[in-house]
Amino acid sequence: MSLLEETQPTDLEQMVGFTRRRFIGAGALCGAAMFLGGNLLSRSVLASSIEAANSALLGFAPIAASSADSITLPAGYKASVLISWGQPLHHDSPAFDPSGQGTAQAQEVQFGDHNDGMSLFPFADDSNRALMAINNEYTNYRTLFAHGGQPANAQDVHKAQAAEGVSVIEVRRDAGGAWQFVQGSPYNRRIHGNTPIRLSGPAAGDARLRTTADNSASKVLGTFQNCANGKTPWGTYLTCEENFTDCFGSSDPNQAFDAGQKRYGASITGKEVGWHLHDPRFDLAKNPNELNRHGWVVEIDPFDPESTPIKRTALGRFKHENAALGETGDGRAVVYMGDDERGEFIYKFISRDRIDHKNLSANRNLLDHGTLYVARFDDGDGHADKPRGKGQWLELTHGKHGLHAANGFASQAQVLIHARLAASHLQATRMDRPEWIVVSPKDGQVYCTLTNNVKRGEEGQPVGGPNPREKNVYGQILRWRETGDDQGAMSFEWDLFVVAGNPGVHPGEAKGGSSNVTAQNMFNSPDGLGFDADGRLWILTDGDYSNAGDFAGMGNNQMLCADPATGEIRRFMVGPVACEVTGIAFAPDQKTLFVGIQHPGETGGSTFPEHLPGGKPRSSVMAIVREDGGVIGA
Ligand code: FEO
Ligand code: CA
Ligand code: CA
């Protein structure tokens, strides 16, 4: 029985690789599955059902953990570098300088550092051409500067700002079928820490966003700390500003921070980034409101290199991980978002207006009008293996639920700028660091990585529901199904798809993980997520790669592939030494998988990917193919 009926995509949907699906009967089947999957389902029964499933969806042989400084893949797969940090984007861009002597101006026209989330945008009229928008989250001063330390002057700060943001590049499939970066394409573009950006939506123009440089509160310089991403059905890219607060500090050692500044982590020293010492824009004593101009989702049109990116304030301000697009039953846009900090929240935005699938440009300002919600999860059934329960979406609208002036929320702008405070006022559920969220293309269920949270108990966050561990070193993946399979619903049912753990070190204990974790597939700190068109769930990790203690036997960070129906998880790829595996995109035919290797050798020990004697490691985007040209993972 099929859970869905696929409708014919319109030309415009095909252009942006978007397929509409109507969900049929999923509610009834899910209800039965949830009953069977509850307390009645023992660990051994579930384990044998996983084995019995044995891969209707997963067609590769799983690989062992590894601590090698290389990419490890299943037999029959191979990886090549698509692009690496510092690669020149235009014909006249300076070449990468591994000495660290390269200038800020050079970095502004080279591929940025520490690539993270990314999306592929195929050309409508040429299946061998596509654009890729790729986040450049942050940088490593050990490799960025010849002196290897914190920025020593304004030029150094400028170079660090140039290394972050977004890179848009063209890629083409060559005669042999391999996707290659196109140096010199007119679409190649850098958006970085000093690029002019427009503020729009309900908070634009608000006094809290005014600075001496921009009294209109509508023009911002730069986006930085760009973690993960989203891709809209109307063909634009969303880049998400995460640890923006790290870039700010204060020249006043006695500066007192207000509740809003504190909640977003403002500090005198900043977090080892050092920008405020040489760029007064980041000095909270001089420009306190500059902090409020960051922490947003930014929309970019990759096909117009002259376009001004736009910060969409209606989606709220927090430490954004990614933005997962969905659609309500009546055709409005949904954006799921996580706030990656211990004890922070999961949000959902629903647009006021419907998506126009026939006239894509009509959606240009769709994300400026709508309603933001935050999730509250109930305590669940407490099941030892994979708890499950129900939840609700709480509306973050000024004037509702006590979000009014007497409680410190004078306007909708203030609710959005201080979304964390507003969500706390509504008693939303404090989560174990929400990272990526993805929506299944098969049944519309939503998956979210809760990467870890070692201080849940220590910081007084309630233990239970989808956050079952007091000291959570391994993380879990949460899943929910919106009521009526309508992403516009105000309630949902949730379960934990996997609770990570180490059954080798902690056999038979809660720290051993849920029944679909074995000594052969174990991992920690799930972070990136991606669905391919066939419904395989790809899991990317950003965890402890010590391969010792609680993490013995896990090796380097890795990418796994799961069958959502059976819960089976297989290790597909292991990354090089001291890297994070993050960022995932598929070619439309699913025969090339693009995956990001971020900060290999962040603390030394790697020369990935070139392996030159004494060479520097470089963050890179990899292209993975099958030697027989088949579909990845099948
Ligand atoms: Fe940039 Fe929460 O990872
Ligand atoms: Ca992440
Ligand atoms: Ca992470």
Side-chain angles (χ1 to χ4, degrees), residues 577-615:
V577 166
C579 79
E580 168 185 348
V581 179
T582 185
I584 181 166
F586 285 88
D589 61 7
Q590 296 190 78
K591 293 179 177 177
T592 302
L593 184 169
F594 302 98
V595 64
I597 299 298
Q598 193 195 75
H599 65 63
E602 63 175 344
T603 51
S606 174
T607 52
F608 182 87
E610 288 133 334
H611 299 299
L612 300 171

Side-chain angles (χ1 to χ4, degrees), residues 45-111:
V45 169
L46 187 53
S48 63
S49 72
I50 288 167
E51 283 156 26
N54 203 16
S55 76
L57 202 55
L58 311 182
F60 62 91
I63 62 168
S66 167
S67 294
D69 189 30
S70 58
I71 300 272
T72 312
L73 289 165
Y77 284 84
K78 60 183 180 183
S80 59
V81 174
L82 182 78
I83 192 167
S84 294
W85 163 54
Q87 211 158 324
L89 297 190
H90 312 291
H91 289 307
D92 59 356
S93 303
F96 173 64
D97 180 352
S99 75
Q101 308 272 11
T103 64
Q105 291 71 24
Q107 179 65 80
E108 284 185 351
V109 288
Q110 295 169 333
F111 187 62

Side-chain angles (χ1 to χ4, degrees), residues 529-551:
L529 284 176
F531 268 108
D532 64 30
D534 293 331
R536 293 178 200 86
L537 177 64
W538 298 82
I539 303 165
L540 292 67
T541 73
D542 171 25
D544 188 305
Y545 43 75
S546 64
N547 203 31
D550 278 342
F551 311 100

